[in-house]
Each structure stands twice: as C-alpha cells, then as structure tokens.
Amino acid sequence: MSRSLLIPEAPAAAREPGRDRCLDVLRSLALVRVVVYHLFGWAWLTIAFPSMGVMFALAGSLMARSLDRPAWDVIKGRVRRLLPPLWVFSAVVLSLLLAGGWNVSEDPDHGGAWSPLALLTYVVPVGAPPFPWHLGDEAGLLEDTWPVQAAGPLWYLRAYLWFVIASPLLLWAFRRAPWVTLFAPLALTSVVGTGLVTIPGEVGDAVTDFAVYGGCWVLGFAHRSGLLARVPRYLAVSAASLLMAFGLWWASGHLGPDGWDLNDIPAAQAAWSFGFVVILLRYAPSWPSGPSGPRRPGRFAKWDRLVTLSNNRAVTVYLWHNLLITATVPVIDMAYDLPFMADARWDAALDATYGLWMAVLVWPLLGLTIVAVGWVEDLAAGRRPRLWPDGVEVSRRKDGRSSRSRRGFGGEAD
C-alpha cells in the first residue's frame, strides 16, 4: 500500500463526526490484498499488510461511531446489512453442494442426528458452516476442493457478527478501563493462541479468532475516541515495533505448513496485526466527508470511484471472491483445447502464467457478480438498489438528456 502517511499530528480529541474517507481507502486496500492473497497464496502478504486485522480495526472504529445511537438499533442494522448478501451466497453454495451429492448427515466430519441444524450457520453465521473438504472429481468442472475455497472465508462473518454483538459491552468497558480493555485480547491470545490452553472444535476456533483480532477491533475504538492520537507518536511506534518484533520471533519458532503465513500462527498474527494497526492508524490522515463530498488528496482522486464501489460492495466482494477464483480454472482450461496449444511451447507458457491469468479473469468476474447480486446490499441497508454504485449518479434533465453527477461515499453506510 501507499506509505505516504507522514502527516501532521492528529488532534488529541476524538475524530471529527462523519465518515472518514481514509478508512474507506484502507478498507479497499485490505479487500484487494485479500483477493491477491487467495489468488497466489503468498505468505509474505500476511506480514506486508495484515488485512484482516486492518479490516477489524476499521469496523471497530465505525462501530464505535455508530454506538452513539441506541445499541440495539445499531446491532440490528449491522445484522440486517450482513444477512441478505450471505443468504444469496449461501443459496448458491448449498445448491452446488447438494447437487454434487453431499449429505451433511453422512459427512464423516459433520455427521450425526443433529448435523442438519449446522446448516443454519449458512443463514445466521453464529458458527462456522459445515462443508466437505472434497466433492466431485479432480478432473471435473471445478476442482474437488472448491467447497473449502468457497466456504472457508465465512469465518470472518462469524467473527464480525460476534464482535458486533459484543461491541456495546466492549465499548462500555473501554470507556471505563481503556488500556485494560485494549490489551485484554492479547492476554487472552497468550493463553488460547499459544497452545497453553486448547479449546477443541468450532468453539475453540471462534474463541481464538475473537482473541487474535479483538485487540484490533478495540484499537478501532481507540482511534475513534482520540485515545490513540493522545499517545506520543514515538512511544506508540516504539511499543508497536517491539510487539511486532515479538510476533516475528514467535512465528520463527512456530512455522506452519505454509511457512511464514501468520494465518497459521495465532499468537504471531495477534501481535503483528496489533502493532501494524497501531502504526497505521497513528499515521493515517483524516479525510472527513462534508456537504460537498469527501476531502482527500488529489493523488487519490483517480481511484475515488473504485474506492466508493468497493466500499459499497465490500460484503459482496469478500463473500464471492474465493468462489470466483475457483471459477477461473475451467475458463482458463478451455484454452488448452485451442489448436495452437498442440505446440508444447504454448502449453508450457500457459502453465507458467496460469496464476496471472487467474488474476486477470477474477476481476471482471467480480464485476459481473457485483452487477448480478451486489444490489442485495442496498436492499439490506434500506437503500434504492443500484447496479454499479461508484458514486456517479445519472439523472434525467428536463430536456430529456442525461446528466452525471458525482456523489461521495460519505454518509451512505457505516
């Protein structure tokens, strides 16, 4: 991401009211990083930009802002915005699973008399949904591990939902004991994320995720309240750097199957993400939205429409991107049937650039998905459905011609 973040000190008071456009830019960068990581599986990306920690911190900041309103209304609003897009995605995934012959009652990993009830987590993500690790044939239209790719990212929705539900209590605790609340998730991670205490099953996964990313969520509170801005910059950066160094040290002795991939090392993920988010938010500028739209440096203006689109369709992009990455495989495989592919050189060239072609194809597929089902996010938020909400609105003038107007993202959602 761009590192031109050296800016004057933020005010000691809380951030200005209204939506901060800088947070929208950071969320767009985090979404792009998630897609790129799932495309190429580069472990170093989890260190270069820990996107999940950033996304939880941004969501925590927006949640703290929203909790100026009655807590129950805020929770209902968040859940309402989350569930309809999930239902559309779940309907497609479950249809594919059932059409492929999967029966949850007979699944060796999820079977049992009560196993069909686990399918309700595709409706309300209070837990991780069940799915088979293999379905179909390796030579089929989709590779046999597609269910893992499709349903795997749904853990984020589970964690997000529990953070939303817990936020009124967390914010209450933060306002009374900010530093204790801020560091409590790290302390919990030192217990459940290091093997000191092991909680089996989905409950253990949920508790670990809550601990690992809870510090980032509460950092969002600290950012919104101005607490983080009141910490001297040298002290914040020094402490965060030491914590990040600990995270790398811990990771070096607990490397997982993918080496330095911090997703497999909870304690390292928690420490590195927390420190990274502290530095990121401490240096992040504030671009609040006003009556004339969001304020931001001119160098970001050319990306404004993409930032607006990605924030308006963040749930759609996150839900569908992994399944769409899998869907690029049969599309690319059709190229092997072209006549000139009989030449071994062309065949080898396609093999060598396969990942790049996946990266090229997934973005237009995401665009088509945004048009096809993204409008569900608008319905969930109580807005007029839009096919391509990039901030440019087309209105009909009295003379019958259409005119285009720019509308910033500020105020559309939080």
Side-chain angles (χ1 to χ4, degrees):
M1 67 171 284
S2 172
R3 290 298 180 182
S4 49
L5 297 175
L6 297 176
I7 57 161
E9 285 280 323
R15 294 269 169 161
E16 296 181 46
R19 190 177 185 92
D20 192 335
R21 185 62 167 178
C22 182
L23 302 190
D24 297 336
V25 173
L26 292 176
R27 181 156 64 168
S28 296
L29 289 171
L31 281 171
V32 171
R33 206 287 276 158
V34 167
V35 176
V36 172
Y37 169 79
H38 286 142
L39 273 166
F40 299 105
W42 293 330
W44 59 268
L45 282 175
T46 64
I47 297 173
F49 193 82
S51 59
M52 304 316 297
V54 172
M55 290 172 67
F56 280 120
L58 302 182
S61 179
L62 292 174
M63 190 69 184
R65 169 196 162 197
S66 296
L67 282 172
D68 290 336
R69 307 194 302 270
W72 180 240
D73 291 342
V74 175
I75 293 174
K76 286 193 301 182
R78 287 296 193 279
V79 173
R80 186 189 68 230
R81 289 179 178 179
L82 180 68
L83 294 186
L86 172 64
W87 293 340
V88 174
F89 176 79
S90 296
V92 172
V93 171
L94 284 175
S95 296
L96 292 173
L97 290 174
L98 297 176
W102 179 61
N103 186 336
V104 66
S105 300
E106 299 174 358
D107 191 305
D109 296 320
H110 307 284
W114 296 97
S115 58
L117 290 177
L119 295 178
L120 292 177
T121 54
Y122 280 99
V123 180
V124 181
V126 293
F131 53 85
W133 285 91
H134 299 276
L135 186 68
D137 190 278
E138 290 185 7
L141 184 62
L142 294 175
E143 61 177 6
D144 64 339
T145 60
W146 74 263
V148 181
Q149 308 303 323
L154 293 182
W155 72 268
Y156 172 78
L157 273 69
R158 175 196 64 197
Y160 176 83
L161 179 61
W162 284 113
F163 277 129
V164 166
I165 293 172
S167 281
L169 179 60
L170 287 174
L171 188 58
W172 176 87
F174 174 78
R175 287 170 174 168
R176 285 155 181 77
W179 296 110
V180 172
T181 308
L182 188 60
F183 290 105
L186 289 176
L188 180 59
T189 304
S190 68
V191 176
V192 300
T194 60
L196 185 63
V197 173
T198 301
I199 304 175
E202 294 296 341
V203 173
D205 292 340
V207 171
T208 300
D209 291 338
F210 195 91
V212 168
Y213 296 107
C216 293
W217 187 274
V218 180
L219 273 175
F221 295 173
H223 174 258
R224 174 59 56 178
S225 69
L227 175 67
L228 190 58
R230 292 193 292 271
V231 178
R233 184 171 290 177
Y234 76 90
L235 180 59
V237 173
S238 300
S241 298
L242 288 174
L243 188 60
M244 294 166 72
F246 168 81
L248 291 183
W249 171 79
W250 181 268
S252 68
H254 301 81
L255 299 181
D258 296 315
W260 285 85
D261 192 324
L262 299 187
N263 291 320
D264 300 326
I265 316 171
Q269 178 75 282
W272 181 265
S273 296
F274 188 97
F276 187 96
V277 169
V278 166
I279 296 174
L280 182 65
L281 295 182
R282 193 63 184 84
Y283 280 88
S286 181
W287 303 330
S289 297
S292 60
R295 300 201 305 265
R296 71 270 179 194
R299 63 182 176 274
F300 287 108
K302 62 182 178 181
W303 303 104
D304 194 54
R305 291 173 61 179
L306 285 177
V307 170
T308 299
L309 178 66
S310 63
N311 277 268
N312 277 318
R313 295 294 179 260
V315 178
T316 300
V317 171
Y318 184 82
L319 279 173
W320 290 89
H321 77 277
N322 234 21
L323 182 59
L324 295 178
I325 288 172
T326 305
T328 64
V329 174
V331 176
I332 299 172
D333 284 350
M334 289 190 294
Y336 286 104
D337 297 327
L338 296 173
F340 63 84
M341 292 300 292
D343 188 324
R345 291 174 299 177
W346 286 105
D347 188 275
L350 182 56
D351 288 343
T353 58
Y354 203 100
L356 294 177
W357 285 111
M358 293 175 69
V360 169
L361 285 175
V362 73
W363 300 109
L365 289 177
L366 273 170
L368 291 173
T369 303
I370 286 172
V371 172
V373 300
W375 50 269
V376 176
E377 289 197 58
D378 291 327
L379 292 181
R383 294 193 296 260
R384 173 179 56 83
R386 298 161 297 172
L387 294 181
W388 197 256
D390 61 353
V392 176
E393 293 189 344
V394 179
S395 59
R396 186 66 58 179
R397 301 190 316 197
K398 290 183 179 180
D399 59 7
R401 297 181 180 180
S402 62
S403 62
R404 298 172 70 84
S405 62
R406 292 286 296 115
R407 183 182 179 191
F409 183 78
E412 290 194 10
D414 59 11

